[in-house]
Amino acid sequence: NSSIPHLIQKIDNAIPQTTSVRFLNSRLEMEIHLTTFELLQHVLKLLILNEISNLPPISFEIQLLIVKISPLVDIIIGSKLQSKLTFALLILGMNCWKVSDQTRFLNQIRRYCEMGSFYYKAGNIKRVLKIIKEVWTRNKNGNKNIHWWEITREFNWEINLGD
């Protein structure tokens, strides 16, 4: 699809609204917000490559985004913006087909849950993890493009991926 590079370029060129960041109280808050913005940019690109381009997790482009996304998730876990991670964790996790990536991801989920997120208590992270583990079962070699919403339909689930 010829519009995909244009769409990715628009995501790359996006910047946070200055009205949104001017009310932050500290440099740390600003850094966490900008990190979350960057994370969501990469997650959107990952989603586009998965769902529109139908690239499997084993592809170079997907693997490159995983390398960029994982450390950003580590930074945001435990911050005030941790609740923004539910969707990002789903999209990241379903693309972790290598054992090393899965291990890192499971550690991120463990840390997320230890931080006492309201959303974990509400069951969203539990469901996200079940969906991801089902994707991993169906895609052991990373060469398939598994759609998470098909799994939620099979499980007869509704899931809240926002905060």
Side-chain angles (χ1 to χ4, degrees), residues 16-23:
Q17 293 180 341
T18 54
T19 54
S20 298
V21 294
R22 100 169 56 149
F23 297 106

Side-chain angles (χ1 to χ4, degrees), residues 129-142:
L129 187 55
K130 285 183 181 185
I131 293 165
I132 290 166
K133 286 182 175 182
E134 184 63 26
V135 170
W136 292 350
T137 299
R138 297 179 187 191
N139 197 15
K140 293 185 186 310
N141 297 322

